[in-house]
Amino acid sequence: MAVLNGSLSCFEQMDDVQFSHWTSLLEQRTGMHLPRERRSFLETSLGLRMKEIGIPDFTAYYHHLQSEKNGQQEWLTLVDRLTIHETRFFRHQPSLDFLEEIILPELFKSEPDRKKLQIWSAGCSTGEEVYTLGMLCQQFLKQHNNRAVSKPCYLAITGMDISVPALVTARKALYDQYKVRHVPEQYLEEYFVAQHNGRYQIVEALKKRVCFVPFNIIDMKKTLLEPMDIIFCQNVLIYFNRDRRKQIIQHLVKRLKPGGFLVLGAGESLNNPHPELEQISYPNALAFRRSELVS
Ligand SMILES: C[S@@+](CC[C@H](N)C(=O)[O-])C[C@H]1O[C@@H](n2cnc3c(N)ncnc32)[C@H](O)[C@@H]1O
């Protein structure tokens, strides 16, 4: 019996070679960086899953994941277990204030009769970030479209994540009472319908404006997305090493329209992340605008 974090665990311990194989596999396929200090997390997560499916040891499980028959499906389950999906509605108020006070007014100032506002939430987890952005943008668009003389502008938000189970939850758009505790009353009334079982369903009008797509942020070449006006990528880069983060930013920049905005998690400090990005100073938010003059 192994001792993990001071407690007794029935899971096998990994030797150095096994740890190195597993971390290389995870880094290669997901970009996820697991330092030595997270070894017991890896042992426990793998151990729990191996117990569920009756696989006796780490090496057998490693080979199982490479198998053509069930490996791919099992990989999706394992990735979901190893990734952290913590999220909530209205999670980071300064970034949302930045969206309302700077991004939206600026985008409509530079293109007042735009017909589309396209947003991408990269690493959207179970959808709370996507619907939060949706509610705030719909509020803005209501006012804008009332004033507009030409056709209304419509909103399209794409949420993307490597975890398929997280995306399934996001698509259901059904949240329990605890999950909606941070939603301001006004938004709760307008964008949710209370269900008999105490849960809250996002209204159809907002659901129609969003879609959720599986993707791997380190493999963005495969994503066929039009360039975006706004990209939110919050609390995702922290799981990658410095080189990967740089690579990811390069790909995100390519998917931004010239003049589009990139909003990262406030703690994800990056010095000079890209020559085409200008950092916009705003209290407690980490935000950039892509230069209008791009080659
Ligand atoms: C902590 S959550 C952040 C959710 C949301 N952005 C927020 O700030 O509330 C991180 C998300 O990144 C996703 N993720 C991790 N590695 C990924 C990868 N390689 N490609 C796409 N998504 C990834 C995880 O599945 C998880 O849902």
Side-chain angles (χ1 to χ4, degrees), residues 3 8 17 30 45 49 52 55 66 90 96 113 141-142 149 162 174 201 207 248 259:
V3 179
L8 285 179
V17 175
T30 69
S45 309
R49 182 61 190 157
E52 276 171 25
I55 291 195
Q66 326 283 330
F90 292 82
L96 302 175
D113 58 352
L141 287 178
K142 257 199 306 196
V149 278
I162 199 168
L174 191 61
Q201 176 78 63
K207 255 177 106 180
I248 293 170

Side-chain angles (χ1 to χ4, degrees), residues 29-32 83-88 91 121-126 129 160-163 166 215-218 233-236 239-240:
R29 291 198 185 178
T30 69
M32 190 189 296
T83 41
I84 293 169
H85 303 296
E86 188 191 335
T87 185
R88 58 174 193 263
R91 181 172 189 177
S121 158
C124 66
S125 188
T126 42
E129 180 174 274
M160 297 175 111
D161 202 283
I162 199 168
S163 161
F215 101 127
N216 186 344
I217 204 165
I218 66 162
C233 182
Q234 296 205 299
N235 307 303
V236 178
Y239 301 108
F240 300 94

Side-chain angles (χ1 to χ4, degrees), residues 14-283:
M14 272 179 184
D15 61 35
D16 287 349
V17 175
Q18 285 172 321
F19 182 69
S20 148
H21 282 155
W22 276 99
T23 49
S24 305
L25 180 73
L26 291 167
E27 154 65 30
Q28 238 175 53
R29 291 198 185 178
T30 69
M32 190 189 296
H33 172 60
L34 278 184
R36 291 207 166 273
E37 311 82 76
R38 303 216 62 212
R39 188 164 168 152
S40 61
F41 162 77
L42 184 63
E43 286 168 345
T44 309
S45 309
L46 295 181
L48 280 168
R49 182 61 190 157
M50 281 155 40
K51 210 169 161 202
E52 276 171 25
I53 56 175
I55 291 195
D57 60 68
F58 295 126
T59 306
Y61 189 34
Y62 187 92
H63 291 306
H64 178 70
L65 285 170
Q66 326 283 330
S67 82
E68 263 186 40
K69 196 161 166 252
N70 301 316
Q72 224 171 342
Q73 189 55 43
E74 180 53 26
W75 176 251
L76 295 179
T77 306
L78 180 63
V79 164
D80 178 62
R81 300 288 174 89
L82 293 176
T83 41
I84 293 169
H85 303 296
E86 188 191 335
T87 185
R88 58 174 193 263
F89 288 103
F90 292 82
R91 181 172 189 177
H92 189 244
Q93 196 55 47
S95 302
L96 302 175
D97 293 341
F98 181 72
L99 171 77
E100 290 188 296
E101 288 168 19
I102 309 286
I103 301 183
L104 294 172
E106 282 286 326
L107 288 175
F108 281 83
K109 194 165 108 192
S110 55
E111 200 186 331
D113 58 352
R114 62 166 56 237
K115 301 290 167 282
K116 255 200 249 176
L117 177 65
Q118 286 180 291
I119 304 179
W120 184 17
S121 158
C124 66
S125 188
T126 42
E128 288 86 334
E129 180 174 274
V130 169
Y131 294 117
T132 300
L133 297 174
M135 289 185 258
L136 295 174
C137 292
Q138 284 293 60
Q139 265 338 81
F140 181 92
L141 287 178
K142 257 199 306 196
Q143 291 182 6
H144 170 83
N145 289 337
N146 276 342
R147 289 193 305 262
V149 278
S150 57
K151 277 190 184 162
C153 171
Y154 82 85
L155 173 69
I157 310 187
T158 308
M160 297 175 111
D161 202 283
I162 199 168
S163 161
V164 173
L167 295 174
V168 169
T169 304
R171 286 191 193 111
K172 282 188 192 144
L174 191 61
Y175 297 94
D176 62 30
Q177 201 161 17
Y178 183 74
K179 288 255 175 192
V180 300
R181 70 197 184 285
H182 296 292
V183 179
E185 198 59 39
Q186 170 207 355
Y187 290 103
L188 200 59
E189 276 172 23
E190 190 163 348
Y191 293 102
F192 292 82
V193 181
Q195 309 290 293
H196 297 302
N197 55 8
R199 305 185 92 193
Y200 288 81
Q201 176 78 63
I202 298 278
V203 293
E204 207 46 44
L206 179 54
K207 255 177 106 180
K208 274 202 310 221
R209 305 264 53 96
V210 312
C211 73
F212 293 96
V213 183
F215 101 127
N216 186 344
I217 204 165
I218 66 162
D219 203 8
M220 265 188 266
K221 284 192 198 114
K222 290 188 188 149
T223 50
L224 299 170
L225 280 182
E226 279 180 65
M228 296 285 136
D229 296 296
I230 306 168
I231 298 178
F232 261 67
C233 182
Q234 296 205 299
N235 307 303
V236 178
L237 296 179
I238 37 171
Y239 301 108
F240 300 94
N241 67 26
R242 217 163 137 252
D243 291 344
R244 283 279 191 203
R245 275 188 250 167
K246 264 188 119 168
Q247 253 175 34
I248 293 170
I249 295 285
Q250 280 181 357
H251 289 298
L252 291 175
V253 171
K254 282 197 200 131
R255 272 151 186 83
L256 260 187
K257 282 184 191 163
F261 289 86
L262 171 65
V263 184
L264 302 176
E268 289 163 317
S269 70
L270 292 163
N271 294 327
N272 305 322
H274 193 281
E276 286 173 20
L277 289 180
E278 179 202 353
Q279 185 164 356
I280 314 285
S281 158
Y282 191 87

